[in-house]
Amino acid sequence: MRSISKIILTTGTSIIAGTMLAMSAGLTAQAADTLRVRGTVESLDGTTLAVKTREGTDAKIMLKDGWQVSSVAKASIDDIKPGDFVGIASLPTESGGDGALEVLIFPAAMKGTGEGSYAWDLKPNSSMTNATVADAVKSVEGHTVTVTYKGKEKKIAIPEGTPVVTFAAATVSDIKPGATVFIPSEKAADGSISSGRVVVGTNGVVPPM
């Protein structure tokens, strides 16, 4: 059995699926008021989460009723097979095509979530492609995948050392000072930030998206 399947089966599929289906709006990057908060936890006081963002600013996120938490677990480039549904953040390369910044392997139950290729803010000029793997090739230069989405096709090189993860379960106790988080959020006209989901780093694996 593939290693990522073992992780999903042993960490609570229903919890992960519920959390990540709720995250789909944050992963598609289409809403004008979408805000992705990346950083480290400063405190969690009831439903108010204080985060030091990667930009060095302080953010307070109001967690909605029924909010959920999940984590990510380490996977391998070799786990990526044709038919898998993946989310790949990438940048254009000097030689043409795209080079991956990170790869998320979706659980089978989430195939199709946020399908498409969108502007992303992991790095300047980066994009996020949620698509089905049509072909995965290993060569001396590394790995290359061909992915398909909405009748389109894209080739993405995955250099050695690229973070590859899948989803795993987490608990509120994992959201502790110093923990790395990725929080797909909504920013209101008054500047307040809210979210119904938190992805937190556990066991030394941080959310790379």
Side-chain angles (χ1 to χ4, degrees):
M1 182 182 292
R2 293 167 51 189
S3 60
I4 61 170
S5 296
K6 292 179 182 178
I7 293 169
I8 294 168
L9 287 173
T10 58
T11 52
T13 304
S14 60
I15 295 173
I16 299 167
T19 302
M20 303 323 299
L21 285 171
M23 279 186 62
S24 61
L27 290 171
T28 56
Q30 296 185 66
D33 60 351
T34 293
L35 176 68
R36 299 176 203 91
V37 178
R38 302 174 176 89
T40 56
V41 174
E42 293 192 308
S43 65
L44 176 60
D45 182 7
T47 56
T48 301
L49 176 59
V51 173
K52 177 69 74 173
T53 72
R54 66 173 183 177
E55 293 80 17
T57 60
D58 294 317
K60 287 192 181 298
I61 298 99
M62 302 305 297
L63 300 174
K64 301 176 182 179
D65 290 344
W67 68 278
Q68 296 177 310
V69 57
S70 67
S71 67
V72 289
K74 187 176 181 180
S76 166
I77 291 177
D78 293 326
D79 289 323
I80 303 170
K81 302 291 190 299
D84 285 344
F85 192 75
V86 296
I88 305 178
S90 62
L91 278 173
T93 65
E94 293 182 358
S95 58
D98 274 27
L101 298 171
E102 59 87 20
V103 181
L104 167 67
I105 304 174
F106 283 93
M110 293 187 65
K111 187 170 185 176
T113 299
E115 183 179 17
S117 190
Y118 317 94
W120 197 244
D121 56 359
L122 183 57
K123 288 188 176 182
N125 302 316
S126 63
S127 61
M128 172 63 74
T129 303
N130 287 4
T132 300
V133 177
D135 189 23
V137 177
K138 183 177 181 179
S139 66
V140 292
E141 291 83 14
H143 291 70
T144 300
V145 295
T146 301
V147 295
T148 59
Y149 58 94
K150 297 183 176 180
K152 300 179 180 180
E153 183 177 283
K154 189 174 186 177
K155 289 185 181 294
I156 304 176
I158 306 176
E160 291 297 330
T162 300
V164 181
V165 299
T166 188
F167 289 127
T171 66
V172 174
S173 63
D174 291 313
I175 305 175
K176 53 192 175 185
T180 302
V181 288
F182 170 76
I183 310 168
S185 310
E186 295 81 45
K187 188 173 184 178
D190 63 3
S192 62
I193 304 171
S194 62
S195 180
R197 51 272 181 189
V198 177
V199 184
V200 60
T202 59
N203 301 314
V205 184
V206 300
M209 67 283 288

